[in-house]
Amino acid sequence: MRQVPTAMEDTWLARAKRLLALAETGQHFTHDPFDRERYDEIAQIARAMLADLGQVPLSRIEGLISDHAGGYATPSIDIRGAVIRDGRILLVRERSDGLWAMPGGFADIGSSPAENIEREVWEEAGLRVRARYLYALRHKARHPYPADVRDFYKLFFICDDIDSGAPKPGAETHEAAFFASDALPELSLTRNLRQDVEAAFHKAAPGPATVLFD
């Protein structure tokens, strides 16, 4: 089910990110030294714009944004898993900000999306799960997440709980617990919005396994 596209991200932030992506792609494909010099300068300007827009030091921008392995610039991937048991959803409290989110994180190279999320749930909440189906694929910039200088696709999976043990925190989490839809704790909005959690409850209910996407 395609979602109605909305331009949530600030226009200038979106333009600066696109400018940097074009510069890095040009750096990879050009064989002309003069063109490479121009692309390098454009990339430096784009990074400076991102630093100004984010009101952070340029060094931080350079640390956040990779050179895309010297190849074609593409969005990064964030994966989240919805595990629902007895009408409640599994959330973990992140050490980084003290707020709550569905287990997940950056996708690791060499693993499938399903393998990634199954491992993330185990590492962050101590539960063995099996990814059943994708319920949403969002472009982060089109939804009301906090502004981010990086560009992300966010993949959300419904996961089956294959053990009955109690959740327990991992190295990157303080707590892990199940919550009812009307009693959610304060969410880590960089990771998931309330609408992401509400969609999980809706998509886990019996019925066609349609996917929300932008």
Side-chain angles (χ1 to χ4, degrees):
M1 179 184 300
R2 187 168 188 172
Q3 302 169 106
V4 177
T6 56
M8 298 299 302
E9 189 170 78
D10 177 83
T11 300
W12 288 105
L13 176 59
R15 288 173 178 171
K17 287 161 63 173
R18 180 61 179 157
L19 184 65
L20 180 57
L22 290 172
E24 291 185 344
T25 301
Q27 289 170 326
H28 175 68
F29 285 105
T30 187
H31 297 291
D32 186 303
F34 296 103
D35 279 347
R36 176 168 294 280
E37 183 176 342
R38 295 185 185 97
Y39 283 126
D40 288 346
E41 183 177 356
I42 292 170
Q44 291 173 0
I45 292 171
R47 291 190 183 97
M49 291 171 63
L50 289 169
D52 289 341
L53 288 166
Q55 298 181 336
V56 295
L58 180 59
S59 58
R60 183 180 176 195
I61 295 296
E62 292 172 340
L64 285 174
I65 301 177
S66 70
D67 62 359
H68 298 94
Y72 194 88
T74 59
S76 298
I77 302 295
D78 178 61
I79 298 182
R80 297 284 150 185
V83 183
I84 297 177
R85 180 192 291 179
D86 299 327
R88 297 182 300 160
I89 191 167
L90 175 67
L91 299 176
V92 296
R93 189 158 72 90
E94 301 284 346
R95 289 185 181 274
S96 59
D97 61 10
L99 303 177
W100 295 81
M102 288 181 280
F106 297 121
D108 291 333
I109 293 172
S111 298
S112 72
E115 291 169 336
N116 266 293
I117 194 54
E118 289 166 0
R119 181 174 59 251
E120 288 285 349
V121 175
W122 170 248
E123 291 177 351
E124 295 189 355
L127 293 179
R128 296 293 184 187
V129 301
R130 181 176 293 109
R132 182 158 35 116
Y133 60 83
L134 182 74
Y135 76 86
L137 195 165
R138 303 192 193 278
H139 183 200
K140 186 177 182 181
R142 289 176 178 259
H143 298 274
Y145 301 95
D148 197 322
V149 296
R150 300 163 295 184
D151 206 52
F152 278 99
Y153 287 167
K154 296 180 71 66
L155 281 64
F156 294 89
F157 285 88
I158 298 294
C159 298
D160 290 330
D161 188 3
I162 59 177
D163 66 32
S164 57
K168 54 183 181 294
E172 298 181 358
T173 55
H174 276 304
E175 298 178 63
F178 285 91
F179 295 88
S181 60
D182 60 354
L184 297 177
E186 186 176 1
L187 297 177
S188 179
L189 299 182
T190 60
R191 295 170 173 85
N192 49 203
L193 304 173
R194 178 172 289 272
Q195 68 192 50
D196 300 324
V197 178
E198 291 173 347
F201 280 106
H202 176 69
K203 293 297 181 179
T210 57
V211 179
L212 301 169
F213 65 94
D214 295 321

